[in-house]
Amino acid sequence: MAVSPEFRAFVVESLGRVAPTVTSRGMFGGVGIYSAGIFFAVIDDETLFLKVDDTNRGDYEAIGTGPFRPFGEDKQGMQYYELPADYLEDADRLRPWVEKSIDVARRARKGKKK
């Protein structure tokens, strides 16, 4: 569950190249990632997970990654899927994944306010 300060800084810097006002906050042993106040990603155990719903889950499944399972592999996954670390090194490759996840988080946030 640990996240090193170096990996956290790397993720925030990388995401900051493709999204506005990226910030992070420690939570439950991991790190929550926000863009302009919208919670769209989680770092846990040196792995980045981005927010998903039915509009983008298939993108992650197509590249062979799965859901964030903080309570064990035999438990239900959360609505965050792993993004391979090498995507963080290429802003052009990273941008569409981040933009879609921010859109998902924005829609989920609107749904909760109703």
Side-chain angles (χ1 to χ4, degrees), residues 68-88:
F68 177 42
R69 295 182 190 275
F71 305 110
E73 288 301 313
D74 60 334
K75 303 293 183 188
Q76 184 170 348
M78 297 182 73
Q79 295 300 307
Y80 294 85
Y81 271 54
E82 180 181 351
L83 187 73
D86 62 326
Y87 282 50
L88 291 167

Side-chain angles (χ1 to χ4, degrees), residues 7 11 15 40-53 56-70 73 77-88 93-94 97-98 101:
F7 188 72
V11 168
L15 295 174
F40 76 100
V42 175
I43 306 171
D44 186 62
D45 199 24
E46 304 295 299
T47 303
L48 175 64
F49 298 88
L50 298 179
K51 182 86 170 145
V52 302
D53 67 7
N56 66 339
R57 184 177 299 105
D59 298 339
Y60 294 85
E61 292 169 347
I63 62 169
T65 66
F68 177 42
R69 295 182 190 275
E73 288 301 313
M78 297 182 73
Q79 295 300 307
Y80 294 85
Y81 271 54
E82 180 181 351
L83 187 73
D86 62 326
Y87 282 50
L88 291 167
R93 188 178 191 191
L94 178 62
W97 295 84
V98 171
S101 288

Side-chain angles (χ1 to χ4, degrees), residues 3-5 28-30 47 59 71 89 102 106 109 112:
V3 177
S4 71
F28 308 110
T47 303
D59 298 339
F71 305 110
E89 298 171 8
I102 292 170
R106 190 176 287 120
R109 186 176 179 182
K112 287 181 181 178

